[in-house]
């Protein structure tokens, strides 16, 4: 067996192992009663969605959707693995996000949720923007590629509280 063949076999095995990788599997069970926040004296959660691009530019989400997800053992596991770490998750249970709310982000990156029961929540929003073109001297080539950054935050609200929050993507 030649040296090339001996080097090629481990490379193929590693590639196959990567193809066989499945996503993260939830360990926390869905408890449907935990999905519905309860409480009186509703709060308000408002804020902005903004991220820094790889080039260091500050971008705001406009005309995007921000999601408000009540913190449960299931959604906490989802948030930590899917949102923060970027893991693919296999077999999401559709009952797990029945109490998720959505709001549109305006053209300036602002959103608001009213009548929110007190509790702990995750906020998640995908920010889409066009990557800048490649500049060579006086010429700029537009590659027409869209970059997506998932902005997020975790927040705890008390009854009758109005909370301001900024959704962003922490630097890696």
């Amino acid at each position: 067996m030649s040296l090339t063949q001996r080097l090629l076999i481990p490379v193929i095995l590693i590639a196959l192992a990567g193809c066989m990788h499945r996503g993260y599997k939830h360990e926390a069970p869905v408890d449907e009663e935990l999905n519905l926040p309860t409480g009186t004296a509703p709060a308000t959660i408002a804020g902005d969605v903004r991220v820094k691009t790889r080039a260091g530019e500050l971008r705001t989400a406009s005309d995007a959707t921000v999601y408000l997800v009540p913190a449960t053992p299931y959604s906490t596991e989802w948030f930590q693995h899917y949102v923060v770490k970027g893991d693919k998750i296999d077999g999401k249970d559709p009952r797990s996000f029945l109490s998720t709310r959505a709001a549109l982000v305006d053209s300036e990156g602002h959103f608001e949720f009213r009548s929110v029961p007190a509790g702990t929540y995750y906020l998640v929003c995908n920010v889409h923007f066009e990557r800048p073109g490649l500049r060579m001297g006086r010429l700029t080539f537009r590659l027409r590629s869209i970059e997506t950054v998932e902005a997020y935050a975790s927040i705890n609200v008390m009854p009758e509280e109005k909370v301001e929050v900024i959704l962003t993507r922490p630097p890696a």
Side-chain angles (χ1 to χ4, degrees):
M1 184 182 302
S2 72
L3 177 62
T4 304
Q5 290 173 327
R6 280 187 270 163
L7 292 175
L8 189 58
I9 291 172
V11 170
I12 291 172
L13 291 175
I14 290 170
L16 287 175
C19 292
M20 293 186 294
H21 171 72
R22 296 192 185 271
Y24 179 82
K25 186 77 170 158
H26 267 289
E27 293 177 11
V30 173
D31 185 343
E32 291 178 69
E33 291 187 22
L34 291 175
N35 285 333
L36 302 173
T38 58
T40 56
T44 300
I45 299 173
D48 295 302
V49 182
R50 52 184 165 211
V51 296
K52 266 193 176 177
T53 67
R54 292 180 189 163
E57 300 171 303
L58 186 63
R59 299 287 180 121
T60 58
S62 61
D63 304 322
T65 303
V66 61
Y67 296 95
L68 179 70
V69 182
T72 65
Y74 191 90
S75 66
T76 298
E77 189 176 16
W78 164 81
F79 182 78
Q80 289 300 320
H81 286 275
Y82 182 75
V83 177
V84 176
K85 293 181 180 176
D87 293 339
K88 179 180 179 267
I89 297 182
D90 290 335
K92 289 180 247 167
D93 190 320
R95 300 171 300 163
S96 60
F97 297 101
L98 292 175
S99 57
T100 296
R101 291 174 56 182
L104 290 177
V105 179
D106 69 17
S107 61
E108 296 173 1
H110 189 75
F111 67 90
E112 183 174 85
F113 290 96
R114 294 182 181 180
S115 300
V116 177
T120 302
Y121 295 89
Y122 302 113
L123 293 123
V124 181
C125 181
N126 283 328
V127 181
H128 307 282
F129 52 89
E130 189 173 329
R131 287 188 177 143
L134 176 64
R135 189 167 183 117
M136 297 178 75
R138 292 184 176 185
L139 298 175
T140 300
F141 299 94
R142 298 279 175 207
L143 304 175
R144 295 281 180 208
S145 66
I146 302 294
E147 186 170 345
T148 300
V149 176
E150 196 160 42
Y152 60 87
S154 173
I155 190 164
N156 187 31
V157 293
M158 304 305 287
E160 298 183 20
E161 184 177 28
K162 180 168 182 176
V163 178
E164 291 284 328
V165 63
I166 295 175
L167 274 67
T168 191
R169 183 74 183 197

